[in-house]
mmCIF file of all heavy atoms in Angstrom:
data_model
loop_
_atom_site.group_PDB
_atom_site.id
_atom_site.type_symbol
_atom_site.label_atom_id
_atom_site.label_comp_id
_atom_site.label_asym_id
_atom_site.label_seq_id
_atom_site.Cartn_x
_atom_site.Cartn_y
_atom_site.Cartn_z
ATOM 1 N N ALA A 47 128.450 105.558 157.289
ATOM 2 C CA ALA A 47 127.961 106.776 157.941
ATOM 3 C C ALA A 47 128.932 107.941 157.735
ATOM 4 O O ALA A 47 128.503 109.081 157.516
ATOM 5 C CB ALA A 47 127.740 106.515 159.427
ATOM 6 N N ALA A 48 130.231 107.667 157.786
ATOM 7 C CA ALA A 48 131.230 108.720 157.578
ATOM 8 C C ALA A 48 131.151 109.273 156.157
ATOM 9 O O ALA A 48 131.240 110.484 155.950
ATOM 10 C CB ALA A 48 132.629 108.179 157.872
ATOM 11 N N ILE A 49 130.981 108.402 155.190
ATOM 12 C CA ILE A 49 130.852 108.835 153.790
ATOM 13 C C ILE A 49 129.621 109.724 153.630
ATOM 14 O O ILE A 49 129.694 110.820 153.061
ATOM 15 C CB ILE A 49 130.777 107.612 152.850
ATOM 16 C CG1 ILE A 49 132.122 106.882 152.808
ATOM 17 C CG2 ILE A 49 130.340 108.034 151.447
ATOM 18 C CD1 ILE A 49 132.061 105.518 152.152
ATOM 19 N N ASP A 50 128.484 109.266 154.137
ATOM 20 C CA ASP A 50 127.250 110.058 154.044
ATOM 21 C C ASP A 50 127.412 111.416 154.705
ATOM 22 O O ASP A 50 127.007 112.447 154.159
ATOM 23 C CB ASP A 50 126.084 109.306 154.686
ATOM 24 C CG ASP A 50 125.643 108.083 153.899
ATOM 25 O OD1 ASP A 50 126.035 107.948 152.712
ATOM 26 O OD2 ASP A 50 124.914 107.249 154.483
ATOM 27 N N HIS A 51 128.004 111.442 155.891
ATOM 28 C CA HIS A 51 128.190 112.686 156.647
ATOM 29 C C HIS A 51 129.107 113.657 155.893
ATOM 30 O O HIS A 51 128.783 114.842 155.761
ATOM 31 C CB HIS A 51 128.765 112.379 158.034
ATOM 32 C CG HIS A 51 129.066 113.597 158.832
ATOM 33 N ND1 HIS A 51 128.086 114.354 159.438
ATOM 34 C CD2 HIS A 51 130.241 114.206 159.112
ATOM 35 C CE1 HIS A 51 128.647 115.374 160.057
ATOM 36 N NE2 HIS A 51 129.964 115.307 159.878
ATOM 37 N N ALA A 52 130.240 113.158 155.417
ATOM 38 C CA ALA A 52 131.200 114.030 154.734
ATOM 39 C C ALA A 52 130.592 114.666 153.495
ATOM 40 O O ALA A 52 130.702 115.883 153.291
ATOM 41 C CB ALA A 52 132.459 113.243 154.376
ATOM 42 N N PHE A 53 129.931 113.874 152.671
ATOM 43 C CA PHE A 53 129.332 114.436 151.454
ATOM 44 C C PHE A 53 128.172 115.367 151.788
ATOM 45 O O PHE A 53 127.983 116.391 151.124
ATOM 46 C CB PHE A 53 128.923 113.338 150.480
ATOM 47 C CG PHE A 53 130.089 112.702 149.768
ATOM 48 C CD1 PHE A 53 130.169 111.334 149.629
ATOM 49 C CD2 PHE A 53 131.113 113.474 149.215
ATOM 50 C CE1 PHE A 53 131.239 110.746 148.962
ATOM 51 C CE2 PHE A 53 132.193 112.903 148.558
ATOM 52 C CZ PHE A 53 132.249 111.534 148.427
ATOM 53 N N ALA A 54 127.406 115.065 152.818
ATOM 54 C CA ALA A 54 126.304 115.942 153.232
ATOM 55 C C ALA A 54 126.819 117.292 153.728
ATOM 56 O O ALA A 54 126.132 118.309 153.612
ATOM 57 C CB ALA A 54 125.461 115.270 154.313
ATOM 58 N N LYS A 55 128.022 117.309 154.273
ATOM 59 C CA LYS A 55 128.613 118.543 154.801
ATOM 60 C C LYS A 55 129.508 119.255 153.799
ATOM 61 O O LYS A 55 130.204 120.200 154.136
ATOM 62 C CB LYS A 55 129.402 118.241 156.084
ATOM 63 C CG LYS A 55 128.546 117.765 157.227
ATOM 64 C CD LYS A 55 127.588 118.856 157.669
ATOM 65 C CE LYS A 55 126.765 118.399 158.853
ATOM 66 N NZ LYS A 55 125.860 119.444 159.317
ATOM 67 N N GLY A 56 129.527 118.777 152.548
ATOM 68 C CA GLY A 56 130.228 119.502 151.502
ATOM 69 C C GLY A 56 131.577 118.966 151.075
ATOM 70 O O GLY A 56 132.285 119.638 150.306
ATOM 71 N N ALA A 57 131.967 117.807 151.515
ATOM 72 C CA ALA A 57 133.244 117.242 151.062
ATOM 73 C C ALA A 57 133.196 117.022 149.561
ATOM 74 O O ALA A 57 132.183 116.580 149.019
ATOM 75 C CB ALA A 57 133.524 115.916 151.766
ATOM 76 N N GLY A 58 134.271 117.345 148.890
ATOM 77 C CA GLY A 58 134.385 117.058 147.469
ATOM 78 C C GLY A 58 135.076 115.729 147.234
ATOM 79 O O GLY A 58 134.827 115.043 146.262
ATOM 80 N N VAL A 59 135.972 115.394 148.157
ATOM 81 C CA VAL A 59 136.759 114.167 148.089
ATOM 82 C C VAL A 59 136.904 113.630 149.503
ATOM 83 O O VAL A 59 137.095 114.395 150.449
ATOM 84 C CB VAL A 59 138.173 114.440 147.512
ATOM 85 C CG1 VAL A 59 139.042 113.189 147.548
ATOM 86 C CG2 VAL A 59 138.099 115.010 146.110
ATOM 87 N N ILE A 60 136.800 112.311 149.626
ATOM 88 C CA ILE A 60 137.094 111.655 150.905
ATOM 89 C C ILE A 60 138.334 110.811 150.684
ATOM 90 O O ILE A 60 138.426 110.046 149.729
ATOM 91 C CB ILE A 60 135.931 110.772 151.382
ATOM 92 C CG1 ILE A 60 134.660 111.604 151.538
ATOM 93 C CG2 ILE A 60 136.298 110.094 152.705
ATOM 94 C CD1 ILE A 60 133.425 110.783 151.837
ATOM 95 N N GLU A 61 139.294 110.972 151.575
ATOM 96 C CA GLU A 61 140.546 110.233 151.471
ATOM 97 C C GLU A 61 140.687 109.343 152.702
ATOM 98 O O GLU A 61 140.314 109.733 153.810
ATOM 99 C CB GLU A 61 141.712 111.214 151.383
ATOM 100 C CG GLU A 61 143.027 110.595 151.010
ATOM 101 C CD GLU A 61 144.074 111.636 150.697
ATOM 102 O OE1 GLU A 61 144.746 112.097 151.647
ATOM 103 O OE2 GLU A 61 144.220 111.987 149.513
ATOM 104 N N ALA A 62 141.232 108.142 152.506
ATOM 105 C CA ALA A 62 141.442 107.195 153.594
ATOM 106 C C ALA A 62 142.758 106.472 153.379
ATOM 107 O O ALA A 62 143.322 106.504 152.282
ATOM 108 C CB ALA A 62 140.281 106.203 153.657
ATOM 109 N N TYR A 63 143.239 105.795 154.416
ATOM 110 C CA TYR A 63 144.576 105.219 154.409
ATOM 111 C C TYR A 63 144.581 103.777 154.928
ATOM 112 O O TYR A 63 145.328 103.435 155.842
ATOM 113 C CB TYR A 63 145.509 106.101 155.241
ATOM 114 C CG TYR A 63 145.224 107.567 154.984
ATOM 115 C CD1 TYR A 63 144.436 108.303 155.854
ATOM 116 C CD2 TYR A 63 145.679 108.183 153.817
ATOM 117 C CE1 TYR A 63 144.119 109.629 155.582
ATOM 118 C CE2 TYR A 63 145.359 109.508 153.541
ATOM 119 C CZ TYR A 63 144.587 110.227 154.431
ATOM 120 O OH TYR A 63 144.271 111.518 154.151
ATOM 121 N N PRO A 64 143.750 102.909 154.359
ATOM 122 C CA PRO A 64 143.611 101.550 154.868
ATOM 123 C C PRO A 64 144.820 100.667 154.539
ATOM 124 O O PRO A 64 145.704 101.059 153.774
ATOM 125 C CB PRO A 64 142.359 101.040 154.162
ATOM 126 C CG PRO A 64 142.375 101.763 152.854
ATOM 127 C CD PRO A 64 142.898 103.138 153.185
ATOM 128 N N VAL A 65 144.795 99.479 155.107
ATOM 129 C CA VAL A 65 145.845 98.485 154.877
ATOM 130 C C VAL A 65 145.229 97.210 154.315
ATOM 131 O O VAL A 65 144.011 97.036 154.322
ATOM 132 C CB VAL A 65 146.608 98.158 156.185
ATOM 133 C CG1 VAL A 65 147.323 99.394 156.717
ATOM 134 C CG2 VAL A 65 145.675 97.578 157.240
ATOM 135 N N GLY A 66 146.078 96.312 153.846
ATOM 136 C CA GLY A 66 145.617 95.000 153.409
ATOM 137 C C GLY A 66 145.305 94.130 154.618
ATOM 138 O O GLY A 66 145.803 94.377 155.720
ATOM 139 N N GLU A 67 144.488 93.121 154.423
ATOM 140 C CA GLU A 67 144.078 92.223 155.523
ATOM 141 C C GLU A 67 145.263 91.589 156.242
ATOM 142 O O GLU A 67 145.191 91.298 157.425
ATOM 143 C CB GLU A 67 143.162 91.122 154.986
ATOM 144 C CG GLU A 67 141.828 91.614 154.510
ATOM 145 C CD GLU A 67 140.752 91.579 155.572
ATOM 146 O OE1 GLU A 67 140.956 90.995 156.652
ATOM 147 O OE2 GLU A 67 139.684 92.152 155.306
ATOM 148 N N ALA A 68 146.361 91.346 155.530
ATOM 149 C CA ALA A 68 147.515 90.664 156.125
ATOM 150 C C ALA A 68 148.461 91.618 156.852
ATOM 151 O O ALA A 68 149.453 91.173 157.425
ATOM 152 C CB ALA A 68 148.279 89.910 155.041
ATOM 153 N N SER A 69 148.165 92.891 156.867
ATOM 154 C CA SER A 69 149.065 93.851 157.497
ATOM 155 C C SER A 69 149.208 93.579 158.994
ATOM 156 O O SER A 69 148.210 93.417 159.696
ATOM 157 C CB SER A 69 148.541 95.270 157.295
ATOM 158 O OG SER A 69 149.375 96.199 157.957
ATOM 159 N N PRO A 70 150.443 93.578 159.493
ATOM 160 C CA PRO A 70 150.635 93.353 160.925
ATOM 161 C C PRO A 70 150.413 94.615 161.769
ATOM 162 O O PRO A 70 150.369 94.545 162.991
ATOM 163 C CB PRO A 70 152.096 92.900 161.000
ATOM 164 C CG PRO A 70 152.742 93.590 159.840
ATOM 165 C CD PRO A 70 151.696 93.643 158.761
ATOM 166 N N SER A 71 150.268 95.766 161.112
ATOM 167 C CA SER A 71 150.066 97.014 161.849
ATOM 168 C C SER A 71 149.139 97.937 161.068
ATOM 169 O O SER A 71 148.789 97.667 159.926
ATOM 170 C CB SER A 71 151.411 97.695 162.099
ATOM 171 O OG SER A 71 152.069 97.967 160.882
ATOM 172 N N TYR A 72 148.749 99.013 161.696
ATOM 173 C CA TYR A 72 147.847 100.009 161.118
ATOM 174 C C TYR A 72 146.458 99.450 160.813
ATOM 175 O O TYR A 72 145.706 100.045 160.047
ATOM 176 C CB TYR A 72 148.431 100.646 159.847
ATOM 177 C CG TYR A 72 149.716 101.389 160.066
ATOM 178 C CD1 TYR A 72 150.915 100.880 159.594
ATOM 179 C CD2 TYR A 72 149.742 102.604 160.740
ATOM 180 C CE1 TYR A 72 152.107 101.560 159.784
ATOM 181 C CE2 TYR A 72 150.915 103.288 160.942
ATOM 182 C CZ TYR A 72 152.103 102.758 160.467
ATOM 183 O OH TYR A 72 153.262 103.434 160.657
#
Side-chain angles (χ1 to χ4, degrees):
I49 291 168
D50 290 345
H51 176 75
F53 286 135
K55 295 295 182 179
V59 175
I60 301 173
E61 191 170 87
Y63 319 99
V65 297
E67 293 268 350
S69 177
S71 59
Y72 298 108

